[in-house]
Amino acid sequence: MSPVEECFVIAGGRPLRGDVTVSGSKNAALYAVAAGLLTADTLTLRDVPAIDDIEELAEILRGLGSRVEIEGETVRISTPTITSTAPPAEQVMRLRASFLVMGPLLARAHEAECVPPGGDVIGSRPLDVHFVGFRMLGAAVSRRGANWRAEASRLRGARIFFDYPSVLGTVNVLFAAVLAEGHSTIVNAAPEPEVAMAADLLNAMGAKVTGHGTPIIEVDGVASLHGADFAVIPDRLEAGTYLLAGAATGGDVRVTNAVPGHMDSLIAKLREMGLTVQADDATGIRATATGPLQAVQVQAVPYPGFATDLHPQMAAAMTQAQGNSLVHERVYDNRTLYVNELRKLGARMITAADTVIIEGPTPLVGSAVRALDIRAGAAVVVAGLAATGETTVHGIGHLDRGYAGLEDRLRALGAAIERR
Ligand code: EPU
């Protein structure tokens, strides 16, 4: 974790140009690390990003009986025996993905107990989808003091319907279902690429999952899982952040390992904004500004719609587009905290409920701003890169949780950014 006093100082106003390779997906890597609890064998994960959230989850696993070794971008996990089924509250509250230990503990140790997890303050983030899934698989779920407790002497496959396609809910229930007896069907599952990757990993460990990447996932339970050697997919949100930083600065950025098939919604919007976008699996995604950006409208919705985790960065880029742009946030009810920070740089933005209207083009001028969560932090960095003069970004611990080597990657694209 970064010391509190660290900040980024950006001398903005330079177009970003060049190639950047992104890390493995933060969120997918977190799911993969949690999957290490599901087997007594060694799980080797490659392309795991060097970010604080991974360290935090590794520490939680260690407390539950796992041996976790992190060597660069390779993580090795082995959990011969689960020694605790109740991770400490202070650890669980540091990140949202900590709650993903529930499914594996329930499946392998027949019980799990956890406080509601922490995570970014971007809206109400219920857990009912997780509990509906566990209950349908035969678990008793109850509240014990501050903890949620799930227990089941055996899990049985079931047909499970989710009210909402929660990402972590889908992964947690999938973790339990792969070791349940018999067949499960999860209806209205999250189809995000990171969820699909988690299912691919489980299959590499001996699970029988089909339909992942669609809203209906089918699972044939197996008695146990074995180890695997598995590479995490590239981070589409990190890739999108660099492409939007390029767009906001009128630059030309190529993300060499981005997977175009995971980023249709962003590619379409970048083209609509007037950027020339070349996208293929071999060379990644390149977005080139060839003239002024045009205003667009975006709705942040579950995948494959426009990602809520790119909403703030997109809004930052929209300050440089000609005309009134609009973002309608439909996933979180408190995503727009970044708006006040962008206003400090001169952005003209109006919020009404979950909608943000952005007037452009607006010359931004450097100022002192705060990273309020991971993506709000990315938005102020994007805006700071587009602003003339010096922008100081405080609260960069949030960025260190989710972006590996952010300042190095931006510097390689020609940005003047340093950590102080
Ligand atoms: N929701 C429900 N019921 C539930 C759970 C969620 O209605 O039981 C609703 C929430 O109210 C919210 C929406 O679902 O409106 C999103 O919550 P979801 O459960 O899908 O999010 P999550 O699984 O907690 C993951 C990512 C988030 C990302 C969301 C949506 C991780 C660790 N987190 O969260 O990532 O925004 O999916 O794609 O994977 C980030 O990376 O910056 C981040 C916040």
Side-chain angles (χ1 to χ4, degrees):
M1 189 80 80
S2 305
V4 187
E5 64 273 14
E6 276 193 350
C7 62
F8 283 138
V9 180
I10 302 169
R14 307 159 190 233
L16 299 191
R17 293 184 196 288
D19 290 357
V20 62
T21 300
V22 296
S23 303
S25 157
K26 165 184 85 89
N27 291 343
L30 289 166
Y31 314 158
V33 168
L37 284 171
L38 282 164
T39 175
D41 294 349
T42 301
L43 177 62
T44 302
L45 301 170
R46 319 261 173 199
D47 298 337
V48 176
I51 52 173
D52 289 348
D53 271 9
I54 294 291
E55 302 276 354
E56 301 276 8
L57 187 58
E59 203 44 40
I60 292 175
L61 260 66
R62 289 186 188 111
L64 302 176
S66 305
R67 189 186 154 101
V68 186
E69 288 168 11
I70 304 180
E71 242 183 77
E73 296 195 331
T74 302
V75 176
R76 284 189 186 81
I77 306 162
S78 51
T79 319
T81 323
I82 307 255
T83 54
S84 163
T85 53
E90 64 275 12
Q91 289 184 352
V92 173
M93 286 165 79
R94 288 201 195 116
L95 76 165
R96 179 95 180 150
S98 56
F99 209 65
L100 284 183
V101 304
M102 289 290 280
L105 291 176
L106 179 61
R108 240 186 108 191
H110 312 290
E111 59 170 29
E113 208 170 301
C114 218
V115 293
D120 291 324
V121 186
I122 46 184
S124 59
R125 303 181 77 178
L127 297 164
D128 46 284
V129 161
H130 303 240
F131 301 143
V132 163
F134 294 156
R135 285 193 177 112
M136 290 303 292
L137 292 171
V141 180
S142 58
R143 190 78 190 221
R144 193 153 89 171
N147 284 349
W148 282 106
R149 180 176 170 77
E151 56 195 311
S153 51
R154 51 198 280 230
L155 295 174
R156 284 195 203 91
R159 191 169 177 92
I160 301 163
F161 171 75
F162 288 163
D163 279 338
Y164 187 94
S166 161
V167 171
L168 289 180
T170 302
V171 176
N172 227 349
V173 173
L174 189 56
F175 282 164
V178 290
L179 289 179
E181 288 167 31
H183 188 87
S184 295
T185 303
I186 305 175
V187 180
N188 203 18
E192 270 72 0
E194 296 77 19
V195 179
M197 189 214 79
D200 284 335
L201 166 62
L202 293 169
N203 284 342
M205 296 167 72
K208 292 186 178 153
V209 184
T210 57
H212 43 296
T214 81
I216 300 182
I217 299 180
E218 308 278 356
V219 184
D220 279 312
V222 295
S224 65
L225 296 181
H226 51 71
D229 190 324
F230 192 86
V232 173
I233 56 173
D235 196 313
R236 66 191 163 101
L237 306 169
E238 193 190 358
T241 302
Y242 292 120
L243 292 169
L244 287 166
T249 57
D252 181 2
V253 168
R254 183 164 68 133
V255 184
T256 52
N257 59 337
V259 180
H262 294 170
M263 299 183 65
D264 286 302
S265 55
L266 178 67
I267 292 170
K269 284 297 154 185
L270 291 174
R271 287 191 173 131
E272 212 181 312
M273 290 172 94
L275 290 129
T276 301
V277 183
Q278 291 164 283
D280 67 66
D281 288 334
T283 57
I285 303 175
R286 177 179 178 184
T288 312
T290 52
L293 299 182
Q294 302 304 318
V296 293
Q297 300 198 352
V298 164
Q299 291 201 46
V301 289
Y303 188 84
F306 193 90
T308 177
D309 292 327
L310 288 175
H311 155 173
Q313 304 91 308
M314 175 53 114
M318 284 166 160
T319 63
Q320 303 307 301
Q322 295 196 316
N324 287 339
S325 293
L326 181 147
V327 184
H328 184 191
E329 171 65 42
R330 291 177 52 194
V331 178
Y332 292 117
D333 52 25
N334 196 25
R335 179 106 246 185
T336 55
L337 288 178
Y338 69 88
V339 167
N340 268 334
E341 299 306 303
L342 295 190
R343 282 189 184 134
K344 292 177 187 164
L345 300 171
R348 292 199 301 267
M349 298 181 153
I350 300 165
T351 53
D354 298 323
T355 300
V356 185
I357 296 165
I358 302 110
E359 265 182 64
T362 309
L364 302 179
V365 180
S367 180
V369 287
R370 285 202 76 76
L372 295 171
D373 60 65
I374 299 178
R375 309 305 170 185
V380 293
V381 169
V382 169
L385 292 165
T388 52
E390 194 172 277
T391 295
T392 310
V393 181
H394 298 276
I396 62 172
H398 284 296
L399 288 160
D400 291 336
R401 282 184 41 216
Y403 288 89
L406 178 66
E407 67 270 38
D408 296 337
R409 286 184 158 104
L410 287 172
R411 266 201 297 270
L413 294 173
I417 175 169
E418 61 177 79
R419 183 185 289 259
R420 275 191 206 156

